[in-house]
């Protein structure tokens, strides 16, 4: 039997339904939309048992605050990206404490890693700070350079899963210096990788100052110790290097060097060097094409921030965030300073667009370190991942506005020159709090999505799996040089699809004292194929490959037509 309602009852039902609808609409408006990027913390399940030490024993030496970076690279050529983690070392004279070493974890696939450090012979027990990877002898196998506090180390890859320490033979020990970032690149166009080594400061225990703030022991300022001279080593082509610091125009420019990246910012075909200096102006060494440099940081607009102030610069990353064909720089900084996005204007000048772009979100209250300009959702726009964590381990006791252990930050590139902070929406990988240092990014499981590994001070690293669900496409490109460096370092690649164009370079050394990205990844958005791939090699040769279907990894060889699908 049909129900019969009075006019007033009907009105009440309609009003109640309307109120419910309005309440639901308000709820969904207030509820944050899910982010298109999802990063999941898989650290506990991948088999990595590494623990970092800063070597401290109560004296609070300054190098404890700046260790360490890491490297992602395929050391054994099986197509899977492996993880190399740097460690500190005991700073006391207690020999019994010397049990810490670096660690190499081989990627077994399916998110499992095995410690192969001893078998590979890369368990250096020095005080690790910076690391870079490059095929310095052009034999087809990636080699490891460690920039330590104390003697540096060059490990030559033997091609059979093992490495040999060839530091003395190569002439790269470097003496008793406090290392920082390092980068391989072909400075003079001869086909061999040269090496830029940044140094932090001239440390001596006699100069060390014990300091307190409001009765709390703290680490001293780097200005207590004189800045150190960086080093430039020219590859002789016979397995040895010669110190060419003065000859190359690097000598005499002294700063508290930290992160560095070697990149062709002016698109003139040779590789330049950006050095992030702590508590002083940054350096931008412009290459004249012969491996001689002129320092132009001030003229180019990257020495200082928007306000003309030097920063507590930490790491530096390079990438074309706005897809205009010019490589931009992003530099991390100290507390009460925004990390800085320097936009390349294409005329040799940069502008600080941190505030107008939103690229400094989440950075001001914290110390920031490792950095990646990475397209996590393959939409064709590079996002920003920033590692955070204070260097004062008791900072909360005298400054409640910041934290020693802090969650990292993910800023999504909206595609219109701006970034939005999606850290709280992007999965549990952004929830953990550590005092992070180096950060590196690559596709660890071969699914076409870039994952992340973060080195954390005094604890385990963080491994993040990219579980982003989109319908976007990608291309991964591996380069093999013949006249140029064998590993493609310094090659610039331009990919076009429809009306879109993307540019990237192979860099050896970047972020905060770390290395990643030897295999280039391009997010293509909705494009299912590329129209063309244009590779400009360091030799000056150009390779063009037409029309490649997306969602695959390809190898392009200098001087050969076409590509090889991997």
């Amino acid at each position: 039997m049909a129900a019969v309602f009075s006019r007033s009852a009907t009105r009440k039902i309609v009003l109640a339904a309307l109120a419910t609808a309005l309440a639901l609409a308000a709820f969904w408006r207030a509820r944050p939309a899910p982010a298109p990027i999802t990063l999941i913390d898989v650290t506990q399940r991948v088999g990595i048992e590494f623990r970092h030490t800063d070597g401290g024993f109560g004296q609070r030496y300054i190098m404890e605050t700046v260790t360490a970076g890491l490297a992602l690279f395929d050391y054994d050529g099986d197509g899977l990206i492996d993880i190399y983690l740097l460690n500190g070392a005991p700073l006391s004279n207690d020999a019994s404490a010397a049990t810490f070493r670096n660690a190499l974890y081989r990627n077994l696939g399916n998110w499992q890693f095995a410690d192969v450090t001893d078998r590979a012979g890369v368990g250096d027990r020095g005080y690790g700070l910076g690391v870079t990877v490059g095929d310095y002898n052009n034999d087809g196998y990636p080699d490891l350079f460690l920039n330590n506090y104390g003697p540096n180390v060059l490990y030559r890859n033997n091609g059979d899963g093992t490495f040999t320490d060839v530091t003395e033979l190569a002439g790269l020990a470097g003496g008793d210096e406090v290392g920082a970032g390092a980068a391989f690149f072909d400075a003079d166009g001869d086909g061999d990788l040269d090496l830029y080594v940044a140094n932090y400061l001239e440390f001596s225990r006699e100069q060390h100052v014990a300091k307190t703030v409001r009765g709390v022991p703290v680490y001293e300022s780097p200005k207590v110790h004189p800045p150190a001279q960086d080093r430039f080593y020219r590859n002789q082509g016979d397995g040895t290097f010669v110190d060419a610091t003065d000859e190359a125009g690097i000598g005499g420019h002294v700063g508290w060097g930290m992160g560095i990246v070697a990149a062709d910012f002016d698109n003139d075909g040779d590789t330049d060097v950006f050095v992030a200096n702590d508590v002083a102006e940054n350096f931008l060494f412009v290459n004249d094409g012969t491996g001689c440099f002129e320092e132009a940081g001030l003229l180019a607009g990257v020495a200082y921030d928007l306000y003309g102030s030097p920063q507590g610069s930490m790491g530096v990353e390079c990438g074309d965030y706005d897809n205009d064909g010019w490589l931009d720089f992003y530099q991390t900084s100290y507390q009460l300073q925004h990390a800085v996005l320097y936009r390349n204007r294409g005329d040799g000048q940069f502008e600080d667009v941190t505030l107008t772009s939103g690229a400094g979100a989440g950075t001001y209250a914290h110390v920031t370190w490792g950095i990646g300009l990475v397209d996590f959702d393959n939409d064709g726009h590079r996002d920003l991942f920033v590692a955070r964590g204070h260097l004062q381990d008791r900072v909360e006791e005298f400054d409640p506005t910041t934290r020693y252990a802090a969650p990292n930050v993910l800023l999504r590139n909206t595609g219109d020159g701006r970034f939005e902070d999606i850290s709280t929406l992007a999965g549990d990988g952004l929830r953990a709090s550590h005092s992070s240092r180096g950060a590196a990014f690559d596709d660890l499981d071969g699914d076409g999505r870039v994952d992340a590994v973060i080195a954390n001070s005094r604890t385990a690293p963080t491994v993040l799996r990219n579980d982003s669900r989109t319908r976007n496409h990608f291309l991964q490109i591996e380069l093999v040089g013949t006249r140029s460096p064998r590993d493609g370092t310094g090659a610039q690649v331009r990919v076009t699809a429809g009306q879109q164009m993307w540019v990237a370079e192979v860099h050896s050394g970047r972020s905060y004292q770390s290395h990643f990205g030897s295999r280039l990844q391009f997010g293509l958005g909705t494009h299912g194929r590329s129209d063309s791939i244009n590779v400009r090699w360091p030799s000056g040769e150009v390779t063009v490959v037409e029309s490649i279907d997306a969602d695959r990894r390809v190898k392009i060889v200098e001087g050969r037509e076409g590509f090889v699908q991997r």
Side-chain angles (χ1 to χ4, degrees):
M1 181 176 180
V4 178
F5 298 98
S6 68
R7 181 176 297 177
S8 62
T10 302
R11 184 170 178 271
K12 289 179 181 179
I13 292 171
V14 170
L15 289 174
L18 179 60
T20 301
L22 290 172
L24 286 172
F27 170 79
W28 287 109
R29 281 197 303 269
R31 184 179 181 181
I37 301 172
T38 303
L39 301 179
I40 302 300
D41 190 339
V42 295
T43 309
Q44 299 300 318
R45 66 186 83 164
V46 299
I48 293 178
E49 299 178 352
F50 177 88
R51 294 293 182 275
H52 176 265
T53 181
D54 61 14
F57 64 106
Q59 295 299 308
R60 296 183 181 272
Y61 293 140
I62 193 167
M63 68 283 298
E64 299 170 31
T65 67
V66 294
T67 172
L70 74 154
L72 299 185
F73 70 116
D74 181 7
Y75 86 95
D76 55 358
D78 65 355
L80 299 173
I81 299 297
D82 310 297
I83 303 173
Y84 189 72
L85 297 162
L86 266 63
N87 215 338
L91 293 170
S92 70
N93 294 321
D94 182 3
S96 65
T99 59
F100 300 98
R101 59 166 171 72
N102 298 346
L104 175 63
Y105 282 89
R106 181 172 182 256
N107 191 337
L108 304 178
N110 197 30
W111 287 101
Q112 291 298 303
F113 292 82
D115 187 338
V116 295
T117 310
D118 293 337
R119 185 192 323 162
V122 290
D124 181 51
R125 296 184 184 275
Y127 198 98
L129 292 164
V131 58
T132 191
V133 175
D135 185 4
Y136 80 94
N137 57 355
N138 285 330
D139 65 354
Y141 306 109
D143 310 297
L144 267 172
F145 176 77
L146 314 180
N147 197 10
N148 291 337
Y149 164 46
N152 299 323
V153 177
L154 177 65
Y155 285 119
R156 185 187 65 210
N157 192 327
N158 299 320
D160 59 0
T162 69
F163 292 76
T164 299
D165 184 341
V166 294
T167 312
E168 295 300 329
L169 174 65
L172 293 178
D176 191 23
E177 297 175 318
V178 181
F184 281 113
F185 66 106
D186 184 4
D188 49 11
D190 65 354
D192 297 315
L193 290 178
D194 308 298
L195 180 65
Y196 190 106
V197 177
N199 288 311
Y200 189 34
L201 44 75
E202 297 179 5
F203 176 81
S204 70
R205 300 192 183 211
E206 292 72 26
Q207 288 177 300
H208 172 66
V209 176
K211 185 178 178 182
T212 62
V213 173
R214 299 180 185 175
V216 178
V218 297
Y219 289 94
E220 63 198 2
S221 165
K223 289 187 175 180
V224 170
H225 302 278
Q229 175 70 68
D230 294 346
R231 299 293 173 187
F232 175 71
Y233 295 97
R234 202 176 298 279
N235 193 330
Q236 300 288 87
D238 58 0
T240 68
F241 292 79
V242 60
D243 188 334
T245 305
D246 292 333
E247 169 196 326
I250 305 298
H253 299 284
V254 180
W256 290 271
M258 293 290 266
I260 79 167
V261 66
D264 182 10
F265 81 91
D266 51 5
N267 283 341
D268 65 352
D270 52 51
T271 304
D272 314 294
V273 182
F274 185 114
V275 182
N277 285 314
D278 195 0
V279 298
E281 70 275 12
N282 299 321
F283 296 149
L284 182 61
F285 289 106
V286 181
N287 194 340
D288 69 358
T290 69
C292 293
F293 300 85
E294 181 178 355
E295 203 288 300
L298 180 61
L299 293 175
V302 298
Y304 305 105
D305 65 12
L306 176 66
Y307 307 103
S309 301
Q311 298 234 315
S313 305
M314 300 299 184
V316 61
E317 166 69 317
C318 184
D320 182 11
Y321 86 94
D322 54 358
N323 292 336
D324 66 352
W326 297 88
L327 296 175
D328 312 294
F329 293 117
Y330 189 91
Q331 167 223 297
T332 50
S333 303
Y334 196 66
Q335 181 196 5
L336 302 184
Q337 299 172 336
H338 285 108
V340 180
L341 176 59
Y342 291 107
R343 179 181 175 270
N344 192 335
R345 297 183 354 188
D347 58 359
Q349 300 287 310
F350 291 80
E351 58 179 328
D352 180 344
V353 295
T354 308
L355 298 182
T356 56
S357 68
T363 66
Y364 186 76
H366 297 272
V367 184
T368 51
W369 304 85
I371 174 64
L373 268 166
V374 178
D375 187 357
F376 287 105
D377 53 2
N378 286 327
D379 67 349
H381 305 290
R382 293 181 179 274
D383 312 296
L384 282 166
F385 186 105
V386 183
R388 303 191 303 182
H390 216 284
L391 54 83
Q392 301 291 354
D393 54 357
R394 296 175 61 180
V395 66
E396 293 92 341
E397 297 180 42
F398 58 86
D399 184 355
T401 67
T402 190
R403 297 167 59 186
Y404 173 68
N408 297 321
V409 173
L410 179 60
L411 306 179
R412 179 176 177 266
N413 190 330
T414 61
D416 59 358
R418 292 178 293 181
F419 295 85
E420 59 178 350
D421 188 345
I422 61 169
S423 306
T424 60
L425 307 175
D428 66 7
L430 277 298
R431 296 175 191 163
S433 292
H434 301 289
S435 188
S436 298
R437 296 295 184 269
F441 310 88
D442 213 315
D443 180 5
L444 297 178
D445 56 356
D447 67 352
R449 295 173 291 190
V450 176
D451 311 293
V453 184
I454 301 95
N456 300 311
S457 181
R458 302 181 179 178
T459 189
T462 305
V463 182
L464 303 182
R465 185 182 69 210
N466 189 340
D467 277 3
S468 305
R469 304 295 179 191
T470 74
R471 295 183 178 180
N472 294 325
H473 300 283
F474 71 92
L475 269 179
Q476 292 176 353
I477 299 176
E478 177 185 347
L479 300 177
V480 179
T482 52
R483 293 174 54 207
S484 301
R486 177 71 177 267
D487 59 11
T489 294
Q492 188 176 102
V493 180
R494 293 175 184 259
V495 175
T496 61
Q499 300 300 311
Q500 301 294 312
M501 186 273 294
W502 301 273
V503 61
E505 279 186 357
V506 181
H507 297 146
S508 166
R510 63 203 303 180
S511 182
Y512 178 72
Q513 302 183 169
S514 297
H515 170 90
F516 65 91
S518 298
R519 187 171 65 197
L520 298 178
Q521 169 128 353
F522 291 86
L524 302 182
T526 59
H527 297 280
R529 66 188 298 109
S530 68
D531 294 332
S532 68
I533 300 174
N534 182 299
V535 183
R536 190 193 67 198
W537 301 89
S539 67
E541 185 166 339
V542 174
T543 301
V544 178
V545 179
E546 304 287 352
S547 188
I548 296 181
D549 287 336
D551 304 326
R552 63 175 67 185
R553 175 157 34 107
V554 299
K555 180 170 69 174
I556 299 175
V557 180
E558 183 180 15
R560 296 184 190 175
E561 295 183 0
F563 65 94
V564 177
Q565 184 171 346
R566 296 299 298 271

